[in-house]
Short mmCIF file of all heavy atoms in Angstrom, two decimals:
data_model
loop_
_atom_site.label_atom_id
_atom_site.label_comp_id
_atom_site.label_asym_id
_atom_site.label_seq_id
_atom_site.Cartn_x
_atom_site.Cartn_y
_atom_site.Cartn_z
N THR A 1474 -11.80 23.22 -3.17
CA THR A 1474 -10.47 22.98 -3.67
C THR A 1474 -10.01 21.61 -3.13
O THR A 1474 -10.18 21.24 -1.97
CB THR A 1474 -9.52 24.11 -3.17
OG1 THR A 1474 -9.86 25.31 -3.76
CG2 THR A 1474 -8.04 23.75 -3.47
N MET A 1475 -9.33 20.83 -4.00
CA MET A 1475 -8.71 19.58 -3.56
C MET A 1475 -7.35 19.87 -2.87
O MET A 1475 -6.54 20.61 -3.43
CB MET A 1475 -8.45 18.61 -4.71
CG MET A 1475 -7.82 17.35 -4.32
SD MET A 1475 -7.79 16.03 -5.64
CE MET A 1475 -6.82 16.78 -6.87
N ARG A 1476 -7.22 19.39 -1.67
CA ARG A 1476 -6.04 19.73 -0.86
C ARG A 1476 -5.23 18.54 -0.57
O ARG A 1476 -5.70 17.31 -0.75
CB ARG A 1476 -6.45 20.45 0.54
CG ARG A 1476 -7.30 21.58 0.38
CD ARG A 1476 -6.74 22.73 -0.44
NE ARG A 1476 -5.51 23.25 0.28
CZ ARG A 1476 -5.57 24.33 1.02
NH1 ARG A 1476 -6.67 24.94 1.32
NH2 ARG A 1476 -4.47 24.84 1.52
N ALA A 1477 -3.99 18.68 -0.20
CA ALA A 1477 -3.04 17.58 0.02
C ALA A 1477 -3.55 16.62 1.10
O ALA A 1477 -3.44 15.41 0.93
CB ALA A 1477 -1.69 18.10 0.42
N SER A 1478 -4.07 17.11 2.19
CA SER A 1478 -4.42 16.25 3.30
C SER A 1478 -5.48 15.25 2.90
O SER A 1478 -5.37 14.00 3.28
CB SER A 1478 -4.90 17.12 4.50
OG SER A 1478 -5.99 17.93 4.09
N ALA A 1479 -6.55 15.68 2.15
CA ALA A 1479 -7.58 14.80 1.73
C ALA A 1479 -7.08 13.73 0.75
O ALA A 1479 -7.48 12.57 0.81
CB ALA A 1479 -8.72 15.60 1.19
N LEU A 1480 -6.24 14.19 -0.16
CA LEU A 1480 -5.67 13.25 -1.13
C LEU A 1480 -4.77 12.26 -0.44
O LEU A 1480 -4.87 11.01 -0.73
CB LEU A 1480 -4.88 14.02 -2.22
CG LEU A 1480 -4.17 13.18 -3.28
CD1 LEU A 1480 -5.16 12.38 -4.07
CD2 LEU A 1480 -3.29 14.03 -4.14
N GLN A 1481 -3.90 12.63 0.45
CA GLN A 1481 -3.02 11.74 1.16
C GLN A 1481 -3.75 10.70 1.96
O GLN A 1481 -3.39 9.52 1.99
CB GLN A 1481 -2.04 12.51 2.07
CG GLN A 1481 -0.97 11.73 2.64
CD GLN A 1481 0.10 11.29 1.60
OE1 GLN A 1481 0.73 12.17 0.96
NE2 GLN A 1481 0.33 9.99 1.37
N GLU A 1482 -4.89 11.15 2.57
CA GLU A 1482 -5.67 10.15 3.33
C GLU A 1482 -6.29 9.09 2.50
O GLU A 1482 -6.26 7.94 2.80
CB GLU A 1482 -6.78 10.96 4.03
CG GLU A 1482 -7.67 10.12 4.95
CD GLU A 1482 -8.83 10.92 5.62
OE1 GLU A 1482 -8.64 12.20 5.77
OE2 GLU A 1482 -9.82 10.35 6.02
N ALA A 1483 -6.73 9.50 1.29
CA ALA A 1483 -7.34 8.51 0.34
C ALA A 1483 -6.22 7.59 -0.11
O ALA A 1483 -6.46 6.31 -0.25
CB ALA A 1483 -8.04 9.19 -0.81
N LEU A 1484 -5.07 8.06 -0.41
CA LEU A 1484 -3.96 7.25 -0.90
C LEU A 1484 -3.58 6.25 0.08
O LEU A 1484 -3.34 5.03 -0.23
CB LEU A 1484 -2.74 8.14 -1.22
CG LEU A 1484 -2.78 9.05 -2.42
CD1 LEU A 1484 -1.54 9.94 -2.53
CD2 LEU A 1484 -2.98 8.27 -3.68
N GLU A 1485 -3.38 6.61 1.34
CA GLU A 1485 -2.97 5.73 2.39
C GLU A 1485 -4.01 4.63 2.61
O GLU A 1485 -3.64 3.50 2.76
CB GLU A 1485 -2.73 6.45 3.72
CG GLU A 1485 -1.63 7.51 3.67
CD GLU A 1485 -0.29 6.90 3.17
OE1 GLU A 1485 -0.02 5.82 3.53
OE2 GLU A 1485 0.50 7.63 2.51
N ARG A 1486 -5.25 4.96 2.57
CA ARG A 1486 -6.32 4.00 2.72
C ARG A 1486 -6.37 2.99 1.59
O ARG A 1486 -6.46 1.78 1.80
CB ARG A 1486 -7.65 4.77 2.80
CG ARG A 1486 -8.87 3.81 3.19
CD ARG A 1486 -10.09 4.66 3.54
NE ARG A 1486 -10.44 5.64 2.48
CZ ARG A 1486 -10.45 7.01 2.62
NH1 ARG A 1486 -9.94 7.49 3.77
NH2 ARG A 1486 -10.74 7.75 1.66
N ASP A 1487 -6.12 3.43 0.37
CA ASP A 1487 -6.13 2.51 -0.82
C ASP A 1487 -4.89 1.71 -0.82
O ASP A 1487 -4.99 0.48 -1.23
CB ASP A 1487 -6.28 3.28 -2.13
CG ASP A 1487 -7.71 3.82 -2.31
OD1 ASP A 1487 -8.63 3.33 -1.68
OD2 ASP A 1487 -7.87 4.81 -3.06
N LYS A 1488 -3.76 2.24 -0.53
CA LYS A 1488 -2.45 1.44 -0.47
C LYS A 1488 -2.57 0.33 0.63
O LYS A 1488 -2.14 -0.75 0.39
CB LYS A 1488 -1.27 2.33 -0.23
CG LYS A 1488 -0.93 3.18 -1.42
CD LYS A 1488 0.47 3.77 -1.32
CE LYS A 1488 0.51 4.79 -0.19
NZ LYS A 1488 1.85 5.45 -0.11
N ALA A 1489 -3.22 0.65 1.75
CA ALA A 1489 -3.29 -0.33 2.82
C ALA A 1489 -4.29 -1.48 2.40
O ALA A 1489 -4.17 -2.57 2.89
CB ALA A 1489 -3.93 0.35 4.09
N ALA A 1490 -5.19 -1.18 1.44
CA ALA A 1490 -6.06 -2.17 0.96
C ALA A 1490 -5.53 -2.93 -0.22
O ALA A 1490 -6.24 -3.75 -0.89
CB ALA A 1490 -7.42 -1.49 0.53
N GLY A 1491 -4.20 -2.69 -0.56
CA GLY A 1491 -3.51 -3.40 -1.68
C GLY A 1491 -3.79 -2.86 -3.05
O GLY A 1491 -3.49 -3.52 -3.99
N LEU A 1492 -4.37 -1.68 -3.13
CA LEU A 1492 -4.60 -1.01 -4.42
C LEU A 1492 -3.39 -0.23 -4.88
O LEU A 1492 -2.48 0.03 -4.10
CB LEU A 1492 -5.84 -0.13 -4.31
CG LEU A 1492 -7.14 -0.90 -3.91
CD1 LEU A 1492 -8.34 0.12 -3.81
CD2 LEU A 1492 -7.50 -1.92 -4.89
N ILE A 1493 -3.41 0.14 -6.19
CA ILE A 1493 -2.28 0.81 -6.76
C ILE A 1493 -2.74 2.24 -7.24
O ILE A 1493 -3.29 2.40 -8.33
CB ILE A 1493 -1.69 0.07 -7.97
CG1 ILE A 1493 -1.34 -1.33 -7.49
CG2 ILE A 1493 -0.50 0.73 -8.57
CD1 ILE A 1493 -1.08 -2.33 -8.64
N PRO A 1494 -2.44 3.34 -6.51
CA PRO A 1494 -2.68 4.65 -6.94
C PRO A 1494 -1.75 5.05 -8.19
O PRO A 1494 -0.56 4.77 -8.07
CB PRO A 1494 -2.38 5.59 -5.77
CG PRO A 1494 -2.45 4.63 -4.60
CD PRO A 1494 -1.91 3.32 -5.12
N PHE A 1495 -2.33 5.61 -9.23
CA PHE A 1495 -1.45 5.81 -10.44
C PHE A 1495 -1.72 7.12 -11.15
O PHE A 1495 -0.95 7.57 -11.93
CB PHE A 1495 -1.60 4.65 -11.40
CG PHE A 1495 -2.77 4.73 -12.35
CD1 PHE A 1495 -2.71 5.04 -13.62
CD2 PHE A 1495 -4.06 4.51 -11.78
CE1 PHE A 1495 -3.80 5.12 -14.54
CE2 PHE A 1495 -5.21 4.60 -12.67
CZ PHE A 1495 -5.03 4.88 -14.00
N PHE A 1496 -2.89 7.79 -10.90
CA PHE A 1496 -3.25 8.91 -11.72
C PHE A 1496 -4.09 9.90 -10.89
O PHE A 1496 -5.01 9.54 -10.19
CB PHE A 1496 -4.13 8.36 -12.89
CG PHE A 1496 -4.57 9.38 -13.94
CD1 PHE A 1496 -3.66 9.88 -14.84
CD2 PHE A 1496 -5.86 9.82 -14.03
CE1 PHE A 1496 -3.97 10.84 -15.78
CE2 PHE A 1496 -6.21 10.64 -14.96
CZ PHE A 1496 -5.33 11.25 -15.90
N VAL A 1497 -3.76 11.22 -11.06
CA VAL A 1497 -4.47 12.27 -10.33
C VAL A 1497 -4.86 13.36 -11.33
O VAL A 1497 -3.98 13.77 -12.11
CB VAL A 1497 -3.67 12.86 -9.21
CG1 VAL A 1497 -4.44 14.06 -8.55
CG2 VAL A 1497 -3.40 11.79 -8.21
N VAL A 1498 -6.14 13.80 -11.29
CA VAL A 1498 -6.61 14.89 -12.11
C VAL A 1498 -6.72 16.08 -11.21
O VAL A 1498 -7.56 16.05 -10.24
CB VAL A 1498 -7.84 14.63 -12.88
CG1 VAL A 1498 -8.33 15.89 -13.63
CG2 VAL A 1498 -7.73 13.46 -13.83
N ALA A 1499 -5.99 17.17 -11.50
CA ALA A 1499 -6.22 18.42 -10.67
C ALA A 1499 -6.94 19.37 -11.65
O ALA A 1499 -6.50 19.51 -12.77
CB ALA A 1499 -4.85 18.99 -10.24
N THR A 1500 -8.02 20.05 -11.16
CA THR A 1500 -8.75 20.95 -12.04
C THR A 1500 -8.43 22.37 -11.70
O THR A 1500 -8.46 22.80 -10.51
CB THR A 1500 -10.25 20.74 -11.87
OG1 THR A 1500 -10.54 19.29 -12.10
CG2 THR A 1500 -11.02 21.50 -12.80
N LEU A 1501 -8.10 23.17 -12.70
CA LEU A 1501 -7.92 24.60 -12.60
C LEU A 1501 -9.18 25.27 -13.19
O LEU A 1501 -9.21 25.37 -14.43
CB LEU A 1501 -6.62 25.09 -13.16
CG LEU A 1501 -5.30 24.53 -12.58
CD1 LEU A 1501 -4.14 25.11 -13.31
CD2 LEU A 1501 -5.28 24.70 -11.15
N GLY A 1502 -10.11 25.71 -12.40
CA GLY A 1502 -11.36 26.28 -12.93
C GLY A 1502 -12.40 25.24 -13.14
O GLY A 1502 -12.76 24.86 -14.23
N THR A 1503 -12.97 24.74 -12.00
CA THR A 1503 -13.96 23.74 -12.11
C THR A 1503 -15.27 24.17 -12.78
O THR A 1503 -15.54 25.36 -12.77
CB THR A 1503 -14.35 23.17 -10.69
OG1 THR A 1503 -14.88 24.25 -9.91
CG2 THR A 1503 -13.14 22.55 -9.99
N THR A 1504 -15.94 23.30 -13.39
CA THR A 1504 -17.13 23.62 -14.15
C THR A 1504 -18.18 24.23 -13.24
O THR A 1504 -18.87 25.23 -13.58
CB THR A 1504 -17.71 22.37 -14.91
OG1 THR A 1504 -16.71 21.93 -15.82
CG2 THR A 1504 -18.93 22.79 -15.66
N SER A 1505 -18.44 23.60 -12.12
CA SER A 1505 -19.50 24.12 -11.22
C SER A 1505 -19.28 25.54 -10.67
O SER A 1505 -20.23 26.39 -10.82
CB SER A 1505 -19.62 23.14 -9.98
OG SER A 1505 -20.05 21.84 -10.37
#
């Protein structure tokens, strides 16, 4: 499952690098 903590960590890292987070896909019922 994708959780808030892992997403937030990636966002902070990318924003610090000057990138622009804009889109998130959440899956309900992953294929695997």
